[in-house]
PDB file of all heavy atoms in Angstrom:
ATOM      1  N   GLY L  14    -151.022 -19.629   3.254  1.00  0.00           N
ATOM      2  CA  GLY L  14    -152.357 -19.418   2.682  1.00  0.00           C
ATOM      3  C   GLY L  14    -152.411 -19.120   1.251  1.00  0.00           C
ATOM      4  O   GLY L  14    -153.424 -18.829   0.668  1.00  0.00           O
ATOM      5  N   SER L  15    -151.205 -19.270   0.482  1.00  0.00           N
ATOM      6  CA  SER L  15    -151.160 -18.864  -0.931  1.00  0.00           C
ATOM      7  C   SER L  15    -151.504 -19.987  -1.797  1.00  0.00           C
ATOM      8  O   SER L  15    -151.875 -19.913  -2.939  1.00  0.00           O
ATOM      9  CB  SER L  15    -149.864 -18.348  -1.248  1.00  0.00           C
ATOM     10  OG  SER L  15    -148.916 -19.297  -1.060  1.00  0.00           O
ATOM     11  N   LYS L  16    -151.389 -21.345  -1.257  1.00  0.00           N
ATOM     12  CA  LYS L  16    -151.621 -22.545  -2.120  1.00  0.00           C
ATOM     13  C   LYS L  16    -152.348 -23.568  -1.349  1.00  0.00           C
ATOM     14  O   LYS L  16    -152.418 -23.560  -0.147  1.00  0.00           O
ATOM     15  CB  LYS L  16    -150.234 -23.057  -2.500  1.00  0.00           C
ATOM     16  CG  LYS L  16    -149.411 -22.140  -3.375  1.00  0.00           C
ATOM     17  CD  LYS L  16    -148.116 -22.728  -3.779  1.00  0.00           C
ATOM     18  CE  LYS L  16    -147.097 -22.876  -2.610  1.00  0.00           C
ATOM     19  NZ  LYS L  16    -146.641 -21.520  -2.157  1.00  0.00           N
ATOM     20  N   VAL L  17    -153.017 -24.476  -2.105  1.00  0.00           N
ATOM     21  CA  VAL L  17    -153.746 -25.645  -1.622  1.00  0.00           C
ATOM     22  C   VAL L  17    -153.123 -26.845  -2.320  1.00  0.00           C
ATOM     23  O   VAL L  17    -153.202 -26.990  -3.484  1.00  0.00           O
ATOM     24  CB  VAL L  17    -155.211 -25.512  -1.791  1.00  0.00           C
ATOM     25  CG1 VAL L  17    -155.918 -26.767  -1.199  1.00  0.00           C
ATOM     26  CG2 VAL L  17    -155.747 -24.257  -1.119  1.00  0.00           C
ATOM     27  N   ALA L  18    -152.704 -27.777  -1.466  1.00  0.00           N
ATOM     28  CA  ALA L  18    -152.349 -29.189  -2.012  1.00  0.00           C
ATOM     29  C   ALA L  18    -153.599 -30.151  -1.820  1.00  0.00           C
ATOM     30  O   ALA L  18    -154.233 -29.991  -0.789  1.00  0.00           O
ATOM     31  CB  ALA L  18    -151.038 -29.715  -1.354  1.00  0.00           C
ATOM     32  N   PHE L  19    -153.757 -31.044  -2.698  1.00  0.00           N
ATOM     33  CA  PHE L  19    -154.850 -31.958  -2.492  1.00  0.00           C
ATOM     34  C   PHE L  19    -154.603 -33.245  -3.303  1.00  0.00           C
ATOM     35  O   PHE L  19    -153.578 -33.287  -4.076  1.00  0.00           O
ATOM     36  CB  PHE L  19    -156.237 -31.388  -2.893  1.00  0.00           C
ATOM     37  CG  PHE L  19    -156.186 -30.985  -4.507  1.00  0.00           C
ATOM     38  CD1 PHE L  19    -156.666 -31.851  -5.388  1.00  0.00           C
ATOM     39  CD2 PHE L  19    -155.778 -29.827  -4.875  1.00  0.00           C
ATOM     40  CE1 PHE L  19    -156.733 -31.562  -6.700  1.00  0.00           C
ATOM     41  CE2 PHE L  19    -155.794 -29.388  -6.196  1.00  0.00           C
ATOM     42  CZ  PHE L  19    -156.248 -30.354  -7.166  1.00  0.00           C
ATOM     43  N   ALA L  20    -155.332 -34.281  -3.067  1.00  0.00           N
ATOM     44  CA  ALA L  20    -155.197 -35.574  -3.679  1.00  0.00           C
ATOM     45  C   ALA L  20    -156.119 -35.674  -4.884  1.00  0.00           C
ATOM     46  O   ALA L  20    -157.399 -35.420  -4.702  1.00  0.00           O
ATOM     47  CB  ALA L  20    -155.380 -36.713  -2.626  1.00  0.00           C
ATOM     48  N   LEU L  21    -155.653 -36.064  -5.979  1.00  0.00           N
ATOM     49  CA  LEU L  21    -156.462 -36.322  -7.255  1.00  0.00           C
ATOM     50  C   LEU L  21    -156.403 -37.724  -7.579  1.00  0.00           C
ATOM     51  O   LEU L  21    -155.329 -38.279  -7.735  1.00  0.00           O
ATOM     52  CB  LEU L  21    -155.986 -35.364  -8.369  1.00  0.00           C
ATOM     53  CG  LEU L  21    -156.514 -35.576  -9.770  1.00  0.00           C
ATOM     54  CD1 LEU L  21    -158.022 -35.257  -9.722  1.00  0.00           C
ATOM     55  CD2 LEU L  21    -155.895 -34.769 -10.782  1.00  0.00           C
ATOM     56  N   ASN L  22    -157.697 -38.273  -7.819  1.00  0.00           N
ATOM     57  CA  ASN L  22    -157.772 -39.687  -8.272  1.00  0.00           C
ATOM     58  C   ASN L  22    -158.685 -39.775  -9.532  1.00  0.00           C
ATOM     59  O   ASN L  22    -159.798 -39.119  -9.343  1.00  0.00           O
ATOM     60  CB  ASN L  22    -158.182 -40.569  -7.193  1.00  0.00           C
ATOM     61  CG  ASN L  22    -158.352 -42.007  -7.658  1.00  0.00           C
ATOM     62  OD1 ASN L  22    -159.458 -42.437  -7.785  1.00  0.00           O
ATOM     63  ND2 ASN L  22    -157.232 -42.855  -7.795  1.00  0.00           N
ATOM     64  N   VAL L  23    -158.361 -40.413 -10.472  1.00  0.00           N
ATOM     65  CA  VAL L  23    -159.221 -40.636 -11.671  1.00  0.00           C
ATOM     66  C   VAL L  23    -159.445 -42.075 -11.834  1.00  0.00           C
ATOM     67  O   VAL L  23    -158.560 -42.813 -12.095  1.00  0.00           O
ATOM     68  CB  VAL L  23    -158.636 -40.058 -12.891  1.00  0.00           C
ATOM     69  CG1 VAL L  23    -159.578 -40.256 -14.093  1.00  0.00           C
ATOM     70  CG2 VAL L  23    -158.270 -38.622 -12.766  1.00  0.00           C
ATOM     71  N   GLY L  24    -160.726 -42.565 -11.640  1.00  0.00           N
ATOM     72  CA  GLY L  24    -161.052 -43.934 -11.745  1.00  0.00           C
ATOM     73  C   GLY L  24    -160.642 -44.702 -10.504  1.00  0.00           C
ATOM     74  O   GLY L  24    -160.520 -44.129  -9.407  1.00  0.00           O
ATOM     75  N   ASN L  25    -160.502 -46.072 -10.754  1.00  0.00           N
ATOM     76  CA  ASN L  25    -160.154 -46.913  -9.552  1.00  0.00           C
ATOM     77  C   ASN L  25    -158.703 -46.815  -9.229  1.00  0.00           C
ATOM     78  O   ASN L  25    -157.793 -46.552  -9.999  1.00  0.00           O
ATOM     79  CB  ASN L  25    -160.469 -48.367 -10.111  1.00  0.00           C
ATOM     80  CG  ASN L  25    -161.963 -48.605 -10.408  1.00  0.00           C
ATOM     81  OD1 ASN L  25    -162.848 -48.099  -9.621  1.00  0.00           O
ATOM     82  ND2 ASN L  25    -162.267 -49.499 -11.263  1.00  0.00           N
ATOM     83  N   PHE L  26    -158.436 -47.182  -7.946  1.00  0.00           N
ATOM     84  CA  PHE L  26    -157.024 -47.216  -7.499  1.00  0.00           C
ATOM     85  C   PHE L  26    -156.307 -48.283  -8.216  1.00  0.00           C
ATOM     86  O   PHE L  26    -156.786 -49.442  -8.370  1.00  0.00           O
ATOM     87  CB  PHE L  26    -156.976 -47.382  -5.981  1.00  0.00           C
ATOM     88  CG  PHE L  26    -157.297 -46.179  -5.188  1.00  0.00           C
ATOM     89  CD1 PHE L  26    -158.590 -46.055  -4.597  1.00  0.00           C
ATOM     90  CD2 PHE L  26    -156.397 -45.159  -5.148  1.00  0.00           C
ATOM     91  CE1 PHE L  26    -158.860 -44.934  -3.882  1.00  0.00           C
ATOM     92  CE2 PHE L  26    -156.725 -43.993  -4.430  1.00  0.00           C
ATOM     93  CZ  PHE L  26    -157.992 -43.874  -3.779  1.00  0.00           C
ATOM     94  N   ARG L  27    -155.038 -48.102  -8.498  1.00  0.00           N
ATOM     95  CA  ARG L  27    -154.211 -49.117  -9.127  1.00  0.00           C
ATOM     96  C   ARG L  27    -152.835 -49.200  -8.260  1.00  0.00           C
ATOM     97  O   ARG L  27    -152.296 -48.284  -7.908  1.00  0.00           O
ATOM     98  CB  ARG L  27    -153.861 -48.712 -10.646  1.00  0.00           C
ATOM     99  CG  ARG L  27    -155.072 -48.955 -11.471  1.00  0.00           C
ATOM    100  CD  ARG L  27    -154.812 -48.287 -12.945  1.00  0.00           C
ATOM    101  NE  ARG L  27    -154.632 -46.871 -12.791  1.00  0.00           N
ATOM    102  CZ  ARG L  27    -155.760 -46.064 -12.861  1.00  0.00           C
ATOM    103  NH1 ARG L  27    -156.897 -46.540 -12.933  1.00  0.00           N
ATOM    104  NH2 ARG L  27    -155.588 -44.751 -12.801  1.00  0.00           N
ATOM    105  N   PRO L  28    -152.418 -50.413  -8.032  1.00  0.00           N
ATOM    106  CA  PRO L  28    -151.259 -50.568  -7.273  1.00  0.00           C
ATOM    107  C   PRO L  28    -149.941 -50.027  -7.981  1.00  0.00           C
ATOM    108  O   PRO L  28    -149.955 -50.206  -9.210  1.00  0.00           O
ATOM    109  CB  PRO L  28    -151.168 -52.114  -7.027  1.00  0.00           C
ATOM    110  CG  PRO L  28    -151.899 -52.666  -8.225  1.00  0.00           C
ATOM    111  CD  PRO L  28    -153.023 -51.731  -8.475  1.00  0.00           C
ATOM    112  N   ASN L  29    -149.017 -49.592  -7.246  1.00  0.00           N
ATOM    113  CA  ASN L  29    -147.761 -49.198  -7.773  1.00  0.00           C
ATOM    114  C   ASN L  29    -147.755 -48.195  -8.972  1.00  0.00           C
ATOM    115  O   ASN L  29    -147.175 -48.338  -9.938  1.00  0.00           O
ATOM    116  CB  ASN L  29    -146.990 -50.452  -8.297  1.00  0.00           C
ATOM    117  CG  ASN L  29    -146.746 -51.409  -7.148  1.00  0.00           C
ATOM    118  OD1 ASN L  29    -146.430 -51.140  -6.031  1.00  0.00           O
ATOM    119  ND2 ASN L  29    -146.967 -52.722  -7.473  1.00  0.00           N
ATOM    120  N   GLY L  30    -148.612 -47.170  -8.815  1.00  0.00           N
ATOM    121  CA  GLY L  30    -148.687 -46.157  -9.796  1.00  0.00           C
ATOM    122  C   GLY L  30    -149.886 -45.552 -10.039  1.00  0.00           C
ATOM    123  O   GLY L  30    -150.697 -45.190  -9.181  1.00  0.00           O
ATOM    124  N   GLY L  31    -150.284 -45.569 -11.264  1.00  0.00           N
ATOM    125  CA  GLY L  31    -151.485 -44.921 -11.748  1.00  0.00           C
ATOM    126  C   GLY L  31    -151.210 -44.233 -12.984  1.00  0.00           C
ATOM    127  O   GLY L  31    -150.519 -44.801 -13.934  1.00  0.00           O
ATOM    128  N   THR L  32    -151.861 -43.127 -13.311  1.00  0.00           N
ATOM    129  CA  THR L  32    -151.598 -42.454 -14.524  1.00  0.00           C
ATOM    130  C   THR L  32    -150.973 -41.041 -14.230  1.00  0.00           C
ATOM    131  O   THR L  32    -151.065 -40.528 -13.059  1.00  0.00           O
ATOM    132  CB  THR L  32    -152.941 -42.228 -15.234  1.00  0.00           C
ATOM    133  OG1 THR L  32    -153.673 -41.182 -14.570  1.00  0.00           O
ATOM    134  CG2 THR L  32    -153.663 -43.501 -15.384  1.00  0.00           C
ATOM    135  N   PRO L  33    -150.328 -40.478 -15.185  1.00  0.00           N
ATOM    136  CA  PRO L  33    -149.769 -39.020 -14.930  1.00  0.00           C
ATOM    137  C   PRO L  33    -150.869 -37.988 -14.531  1.00  0.00           C
ATOM    138  O   PRO L  33    -150.559 -36.980 -14.002  1.00  0.00           O
ATOM    139  CB  PRO L  33    -149.265 -38.701 -16.279  1.00  0.00           C
ATOM    140  CG  PRO L  33    -148.947 -39.988 -17.054  1.00  0.00           C
ATOM    141  CD  PRO L  33    -150.055 -40.933 -16.583  1.00  0.00           C
ATOM    142  N   ASP L  34    -152.113 -38.359 -14.780  1.00  0.00           N
ATOM    143  CA  ASP L  34    -153.137 -37.436 -14.319  1.00  0.00           C
ATOM    144  C   ASP L  34    -153.529 -37.658 -12.899  1.00  0.00           C
ATOM    145  O   ASP L  34    -154.539 -36.880 -12.394  1.00  0.00           O
ATOM    146  CB  ASP L  34    -154.418 -37.657 -15.149  1.00  0.00           C
ATOM    147  CG  ASP L  34    -154.159 -37.359 -16.612  1.00  0.00           C
ATOM    148  OD1 ASP L  34    -153.353 -36.509 -16.913  1.00  0.00           O
ATOM    149  OD2 ASP L  34    -154.737 -38.090 -17.438  1.00  0.00           O
ATOM    150  N   GLU L  35    -152.976 -38.456 -12.089  1.00  0.00           N
ATOM    151  CA  GLU L  35    -153.280 -38.729 -10.602  1.00  0.00           C
ATOM    152  C   GLU L  35    -152.105 -38.390  -9.802  1.00  0.00           C
ATOM    153  O   GLU L  35    -150.970 -38.352 -10.156  1.00  0.00           O
ATOM    154  CB  GLU L  35    -153.809 -40.170 -10.506  1.00  0.00           C
ATOM    155  CG  GLU L  35    -155.065 -40.456 -11.308  1.00  0.00           C
ATOM    156  CD  GLU L  35    -155.452 -41.879 -11.181  1.00  0.00           C
ATOM    157  OE1 GLU L  35    -154.565 -42.776 -11.503  1.00  0.00           O
ATOM    158  OE2 GLU L  35    -156.582 -42.130 -10.831  1.00  0.00           O
ATOM    159  N   GLY L  36    -152.541 -38.227  -8.483  1.00  0.00           N
ATOM    160  CA  GLY L  36    -151.441 -38.032  -7.484  1.00  0.00           C
ATOM    161  C   GLY L  36    -151.823 -36.695  -6.674  1.00  0.00           C
ATOM    162  O   GLY L  36    -152.966 -36.216  -6.626  1.00  0.00           O
ATOM    163  N   ILE L  37    -150.779 -36.090  -6.019  1.00  0.00           N
ATOM    164  CA  ILE L  37    -150.764 -34.889  -5.363  1.00  0.00           C
ATOM    165  C   ILE L  37    -150.734 -33.676  -6.309  1.00  0.00           C
ATOM    166  O   ILE L  37    -149.743 -33.657  -7.024  1.00  0.00           O
ATOM    167  CB  ILE L  37    -149.766 -34.686  -4.199  1.00  0.00           C
ATOM    168  CG1 ILE L  37    -149.716 -35.890  -3.308  1.00  0.00           C
ATOM    169  CG2 ILE L  37    -149.924 -33.451  -3.426  1.00  0.00           C
ATOM    170  CD1 ILE L  37    -151.022 -36.054  -2.456  1.00  0.00           C
ATOM    171  N   ARG L  38    -151.735 -32.760  -6.231  1.00  0.00           N
ATOM    172  CA  ARG L  38    -151.742 -31.592  -6.975  1.00  0.00           C
ATOM    173  C   ARG L  38    -151.691 -30.355  -6.132  1.00  0.00           C
ATOM    174  O   ARG L  38    -152.205 -30.357  -4.940  1.00  0.00           O
ATOM    175  CB  ARG L  38    -153.060 -31.571  -7.951  1.00  0.00           C
ATOM    176  CG  ARG L  38    -153.182 -32.715  -8.808  1.00  0.00           C
ATOM    177  CD  ARG L  38    -152.126 -32.698  -9.978  1.00  0.00           C
ATOM    178  NE  ARG L  38    -152.220 -33.795 -10.784  1.00  0.00           N
ATOM    179  CZ  ARG L  38    -151.434 -34.884 -10.830  1.00  0.00           C
ATOM    180  NH1 ARG L  38    -150.583 -34.957  -9.874  1.00  0.00           N
ATOM    181  NH2 ARG L  38    -151.587 -35.811 -11.698  1.00  0.00           N
ATOM    182  N   VAL L  39    -151.211 -29.301  -6.648  1.00  0.00           N
ATOM    183  CA  VAL L  39    -151.126 -27.969  -6.002  1.00  0.00           C
ATOM    184  C   VAL L  39    -151.642 -26.835  -6.781  1.00  0.00           C
ATOM    185  O   VAL L  39    -151.306 -26.711  -8.005  1.00  0.00           O
ATOM    186  CB  VAL L  39    -149.665 -27.663  -5.612  1.00  0.00           C
ATOM    187  CG1 VAL L  39    -149.640 -26.346  -4.721  1.00  0.00           C
ATOM    188  CG2 VAL L  39    -148.994 -28.774  -4.818  1.00  0.00           C
ATOM    189  N   ILE L  40    -152.675 -26.060  -6.242  1.00  0.00           N
ATOM    190  CA  ILE L  40    -153.215 -24.924  -6.948  1.00  0.00           C
ATOM    191  C   ILE L  40    -153.054 -23.716  -6.043  1.00  0.00           C
ATOM    192  O   ILE L  40    -152.721 -23.845  -4.872  1.00  0.00           O
ATOM    193  CB  ILE L  40    -154.710 -25.137  -7.160  1.00  0.00           C
ATOM    194  CG1 ILE L  40    -155.481 -25.411  -5.834  1.00  0.00           C
ATOM    195  CG2 ILE L  40    -154.932 -26.303  -8.159  1.00  0.00           C
ATOM    196  CD1 ILE L  40    -156.943 -25.588  -5.947  1.00  0.00           C
ATOM    197  N   LYS L  41    -153.250 -22.502  -6.707  1.00  0.00           N
ATOM    198  CA  LYS L  41    -153.214 -21.299  -5.895  1.00  0.00           C
ATOM    199  C   LYS L  41    -154.476 -21.093  -5.097  1.00  0.00           C
ATOM    200  O   LYS L  41    -155.476 -21.761  -5.369  1.00  0.00           O
ATOM    201  CB  LYS L  41    -152.985 -20.150  -6.843  1.00  0.00           C
ATOM    202  CG  LYS L  41    -151.571 -20.136  -7.579  1.00  0.00           C
ATOM    203  CD  LYS L  41    -151.404 -19.009  -8.535  1.00  0.00           C
ATOM    204  CE  LYS L  41    -150.157 -19.012  -9.311  1.00  0.00           C
ATOM    205  NZ  LYS L  41    -150.022 -17.870 -10.230  1.00  0.00           N
ATOM    206  N   ALA L  42    -154.473 -20.087  -4.274  1.00  0.00           N
ATOM    207  CA  ALA L  42    -155.650 -19.798  -3.486  1.00  0.00           C
ATOM    208  C   ALA L  42    -156.829 -19.337  -4.331  1.00  0.00           C
ATOM    209  O   ALA L  42    -158.007 -19.395  -3.920  1.00  0.00           O
ATOM    210  CB  ALA L  42    -155.375 -18.746  -2.377  1.00  0.00           C
ATOM    211  N   ASP L  43    -156.612 -18.893  -5.578  1.00  0.00           N
ATOM    212  CA  ASP L  43    -157.701 -18.491  -6.422  1.00  0.00           C
ATOM    213  C   ASP L  43    -158.197 -19.629  -7.341  1.00  0.00           C
ATOM    214  O   ASP L  43    -159.022 -19.303  -8.154  1.00  0.00           O
ATOM    215  CB  ASP L  43    -157.245 -17.311  -7.262  1.00  0.00           C
ATOM    216  CG  ASP L  43    -156.097 -17.577  -8.191  1.00  0.00           C
ATOM    217  OD1 ASP L  43    -155.618 -18.768  -8.148  1.00  0.00           O
ATOM    218  OD2 ASP L  43    -155.700 -16.619  -8.862  1.00  0.00           O
TER     219      ASP L  43
END
């Protein structure tokens, strides 16, 4: 319960990649 993983998407989906600002992200419980 110390962290939360989630999916981040900015704009439209792009095949075979995306930008460094997209993907799975992990934050703390706060």
Side-chain angles (χ1 to χ4, degrees):
S15 64
K16 297 181 287 293
V17 178
F19 61 92
L21 172 64
N22 176 257
V23 180
N25 296 325
F26 284 105
R27 288 171 292 277
N29 302 319
T32 70
D34 296 329
E35 298 176 303
I37 304 295
R38 299 289 179 263
V39 182
I40 58 175
K41 296 180 182 179
D43 61 2

